[in-house]
Amino acid sequence: MSERNSWGTARRAGGLAGVFVGVLILAGCAGGTEDVRITLCKDMVLARLNAPSVQWTAVTTAPGDDLAVDLRFAADGRDGRATCRYRYNAIDDTALTLADPLSAYATSPYRMTLDGREIANPQLAETIKQAMLAQGRAFLERASEEVGRAAEEIRSQLDGGR
């Protein structure tokens, strides 16, 4: 192989590696624009209910001394309600907290109620843990799918470049 061909192959491989890294980054960002506090609260409800399907009917946030994320849902033929409370966590207002007021609050709730019943520690800690493990599994599944797609794309580009 000539030096020119090896340089072209190296450049193409480097470009494909960049695509691969980009795919991994995008897999981590996939999931829309829902605030992480809302997503965690929903995942905590899912962890507590262990229901085959949950339909979210309303999501409201009430910032104040703390942040209340109020969820209404339907599961197993009944309506339910959950509230997760997050402590205010900002020292002072910044451009980020002004643009995204929920970012001023902690990302892990200190209190949760489900259908009017408070979930106290250590059950709250276990619920948070289960929700975060589910989020981790979902991330790994998305990343695995994206890696597979990227690998297939790289293979097809390498095969087509011959």
Side-chain angles (χ1 to χ4, degrees):
M1 179 187 299
S2 74
E3 190 173 314
R4 181 177 170 96
N5 284 342
S6 66
W7 173 247
T9 301
R11 278 186 40 200
R12 186 173 40 188
L16 294 174
V19 168
F20 186 71
V21 169
V23 165
L24 284 177
I25 291 169
L26 289 175
C29 297
T33 59
E34 183 175 72
D35 186 81
V36 296
R37 292 149 198 85
I38 295 169
T39 302
L40 180 58
C41 193
K42 285 179 175 180
D43 289 343
M44 290 170 62
V45 169
L46 295 173
R48 295 295 302 179
L49 292 179
N50 200 20
S53 73
V54 174
Q55 181 148 21
W56 306 108
T57 56
V59 176
T60 58
T61 57
D65 290 338
D66 66 1
L67 170 67
V69 173
D70 190 52
L71 305 173
R72 295 188 187 244
F73 57 89
D76 295 331
R78 67 172 184 85
D79 292 333
R81 181 178 181 178
T83 302
C84 297
R85 295 196 166 272
Y86 298 84
R87 285 191 168 83
Y88 189 79
N89 199 31
I91 295 170
D92 50 30
D93 288 337
T94 63
L96 177 62
T97 59
L98 293 173
D100 178 15
L102 300 187
S103 69
Y105 296 90
T107 54
S108 186
Y110 72 92
R111 187 172 166 206
M112 178 185 189
T113 57
L114 181 59
D115 294 328
R117 187 175 62 85
E118 185 162 350
I119 309 300
N121 275 326
Q123 291 84 17
L124 178 61
E126 182 63 25
T127 301
I128 293 169
K129 175 183 158 189
Q130 293 303 317
M132 294 184 92
L133 286 170
Q135 288 178 349
R137 282 189 295 274
F139 169 77
L140 290 175
E141 287 174 14
R142 281 192 316 270
S144 177
E145 290 170 4
E146 292 300 321
V147 166
R149 278 194 274 265
E152 189 57 40
E153 178 67 24
I154 290 169
R155 264 192 294 277
S156 71
Q157 286 185 14
L158 289 175
D159 289 342
R162 289 186 182 166

